[in-house]
Amino acid sequence: MSAALVPAEPPELPPLAESVLYVSQLGKPTAAEVLRAAREDRRVALQPRCGVGSHAQMMTLLQDLERHAGPDVLTLTIDSHTRLKRFDQARSALIRNPADLNGYPLVSHGWQRGRQLNEAVSAPLEVRHGSPDARLLFQTSIASGITSFEGGGISYNLPYSKAVPLSESLDAWQEVDALCGDLAERGLVIDRELFGTLTAVLVPPSISLAISVLEAVAAARQGVRCVSVAYPQGGHCEQDVAALRAIPELAARYLPEGIEVHPVLHEFMGVFPRERGSAEDLILYGALVARLGGATKLITKTYLEAYGIPDTRANIDGLLLASRANSPLLGFIALDEDRIAEELDWILAEVAEIVEPVLAAADLHKEITASFAAGRLDIPFSASRYALSEIIPRRAPDGAIRYFASGSLPFSDRTRRRNERSLAAAGDDAKIGDMVKGLTADINYFLNVFGESPAAQS
């Protein structure tokens, strides 16, 4: 690649007041305004995942998605080097071959190019990344006029990083949230989306929502005024709908008044079917779950998920298919509301048992760190040495995700018995080999639904 196509060292970030003025003069809504309008219209806003290394290709990708699918929010997915603050490596890869990057290196391209992307499309942008310390990335995003930023001190550390102490990531994200509070005081509300999807596979709803509650409380204490709580589709319709409906109830219970809270559904992030028809069935199914659960926004998938990074056409088709869930003709669809109410009660009770001892502590960050060290907080399948990962989730016979083992989570005897009863009909995996086979079958849930062989995934 010609060095002329790579920016010189990005200029110093502009003053915060200048960035706020820039956003006000962009002539398009912020992400928070788009989400508010979607909620008022009882419509699910749509957002794709997308990110490439080349600036020119990133601009073309955003413009193509907007022109052909009209998403409500567009994404800059950030590359791995930038996520880990390896800015020199990101720049070197950008000079050598942008295609080697698995996302857009915003810090290396610089905020002026970020503004070029912003001005190229009418939808607001969100940065999605996975960084335990996103301070410089956030500052560059704000200078770029980007009005939505994903992540948190727990959810963007423990699922991704092996050796980053929780205390460090919590402190770094506290600075991000404090800057959001400063911006809100200046009249610019940033949507802070919390990554409740965690490790994305077999995540029990209550642990997903509990982590988001803790991050939301921490953010609100720093002045954040718009919070999106992302939840990963598990695959059991009533349980997923109940989890989405739990989000506003949890917000009313644990957050101060005046905080806008939006439920967000990530379409199924587990093993996707390879057959296009089956994959599209799953995409539409997820979109309907978002509608029925009252989600403000849906993060879409494509029929190429089983094959790797989807191309632009697949992203467009996924967005168009998901948009069908907003059709007024689908208002006749109804679910078992008694079943949903039962799941909702279950989820709210489990979340309360997890978060209330932590929220009662004088120092929230210290208590979060101590609770993870002791297993009172935990997530399954964590990459981090700072989570015990003693939680073992399993699917009940009906497909709902339960706790086979809850480790040291502070659950009541009643909660533990409910999970045990739900899983009892699935049989006893006393041997480790049986347990591994059972977990594998649970992870391959939708392959089994569509009759695809797991062996075909290789």
Side-chain angles (χ1 to χ4, degrees):
M1 180 179 181
S2 169
L5 298 181
V6 179
E9 290 295 327
E12 184 177 343
L13 293 168
L16 210 56
E18 193 276 340
S19 296
V20 172
L21 178 63
Y22 170 74
V23 172
S24 71
Q25 296 176 341
L26 256 177
K28 66 179 182 181
T30 65
E33 290 167 343
V34 165
L35 294 174
R36 187 182 309 126
R39 182 175 59 192
E40 291 172 353
D41 293 342
R42 297 182 177 274
R43 184 180 63 84
V44 181
L46 301 179
Q47 179 179 356
R49 296 174 173 86
C50 59
V52 294
S54 161
H55 179 66
Q57 291 179 5
M58 186 74 241
M59 184 176 293
T60 298
L61 175 57
L62 293 174
Q63 290 174 325
D64 285 347
L65 290 171
E66 182 163 86
R67 181 181 304 113
H68 297 292
D72 300 274
V73 180
L74 281 163
T75 301
L76 290 187
T77 300
I78 304 302
D79 69 289
S80 296
H81 289 308
T82 301
R83 296 175 197 180
L84 298 176
K85 300 196 299 184
R86 299 194 297 243
F87 304 121
D88 289 341
Q89 291 95 317
R91 181 171 175 79
S92 295
L94 186 60
I95 293 171
R96 182 178 64 252
N97 181 13
D100 290 340
L101 293 164
N102 64 345
Y104 185 80
L106 178 60
V107 173
S108 298
H109 279 299
W111 59 271
Q112 291 174 322
R113 285 192 167 184
R115 290 189 179 186
Q116 290 174 8
L117 296 179
N118 225 335
E119 293 164 13
V121 292
S122 59
L125 302 181
E126 178 180 44
V127 163
R128 315 185 76 91
H129 48 110
S131 175
D133 182 352
R135 287 173 291 184
L136 180 56
L137 177 60
F138 180 70
Q139 292 165 9
T140 307
S141 298
I142 294 304
S144 301
I146 294 170
T147 55
S148 182
F149 199 77
E150 185 185 40
I154 304 169
S155 61
Y156 261 12
N157 179 351
L158 300 185
Y160 291 101
S161 302
K162 179 180 180 180
V164 177
L166 259 176
S167 57
E168 292 183 8
S169 60
L170 289 168
D171 286 348
W173 279 91
Q174 185 176 39
E175 291 188 31
V176 169
D177 289 333
L179 186 51
C180 284
D182 187 356
L183 289 164
E185 291 293 331
R186 296 169 181 262
L188 175 57
V189 174
I190 301 298
D191 169 49
R192 283 282 292 108
E193 185 169 325
L194 308 177
F195 193 66
T197 47
L198 302 175
T199 46
V201 177
L202 288 181
V203 178
S206 62
I207 200 64
S208 166
L209 297 175
I211 298 304
S212 289
V213 165
L214 295 174
E215 290 188 338
V217 169
R221 290 179 180 178
Q222 298 303 315
V224 170
R225 295 185 188 174
C226 180
V227 173
S228 291
V229 176
Y231 167 78
Q233 181 185 359
H236 183 276
C237 186
E238 286 84 4
Q239 186 179 51
D240 288 334
V241 166
L244 289 168
R245 293 183 185 179
I247 291 169
E249 295 203 27
L250 292 168
R253 184 179 296 182
Y254 298 113
L255 294 179
E257 292 184 3
I259 308 293
E260 287 193 80
V261 177
H262 299 284
V264 174
L265 180 69
H266 281 252
E267 288 202 298
F268 188 67
M269 298 176 73
V271 181
F272 235 72
R274 295 172 69 88
E275 294 293 330
R276 177 167 177 170
S278 299
E280 290 183 332
D281 286 350
L282 182 50
I283 291 166
L284 181 58
Y285 175 52
L288 290 171
V289 167
R291 171 177 174 156
L292 293 164
T296 304
K297 187 176 74 171
L298 176 70
I299 310 298
T300 60
K301 284 284 191 175
T302 78
Y303 57 80
L304 291 181
E305 297 300 323
Y307 297 92
I309 298 174
D311 59 25
T312 303
R313 182 71 253 174
N315 244 324
I316 291 168
D317 289 345
L319 283 162
L320 293 174
L321 177 58
S323 72
R324 296 301 87 218
N326 281 320
S327 170
L329 298 180
L330 297 178
F332 69 91
I333 297 176
L335 298 175
D336 184 341
E337 291 295 331
D338 290 338
R339 182 75 182 83
I340 293 171
E342 180 184 7
E343 285 292 333
L344 180 58
D345 174 75
W346 195 327
I347 290 168
L348 292 173
E350 288 184 352
V351 172
E353 291 177 359
I354 295 169
V355 305
E356 289 182 2
V358 182
L359 294 175
D363 188 316
L364 179 58
H365 282 185
K366 285 185 179 179
E367 184 59 28
I368 288 172
T369 301
S371 293
F372 270 106
R376 297 188 299 272
L377 290 173
D378 203 1
I379 64 174
F381 314 127
S382 172
S384 174
R385 67 179 60 164
Y386 296 98
L388 299 184
S389 286
E390 293 178 340
I391 294 174
I392 301 177
R394 289 298 309 273
R395 288 192 186 274
D398 64 355
I401 300 174
R402 307 296 187 202
Y403 293 89
F404 178 83
S406 54
S408 299
L409 294 181
F411 281 157
S412 63
D413 290 341
R414 177 175 180 266
T415 293
R416 294 182 190 278
R417 286 194 299 269
R418 289 180 74 175
N419 279 273
E420 290 169 359
R421 286 196 300 269
S422 179
L423 291 170
D428 181 17
D429 294 329
K431 298 179 180 178
I432 187 65
D434 293 336
M435 170 63 76
V436 171
K437 289 179 181 177
L439 280 170
T440 301
D442 291 344
I443 291 170
N444 290 326
Y445 180 68
F446 280 109
L447 296 189
N448 298 327
V449 168
F450 291 112
E452 291 191 17
S453 170
Q457 295 292 309
S458 61

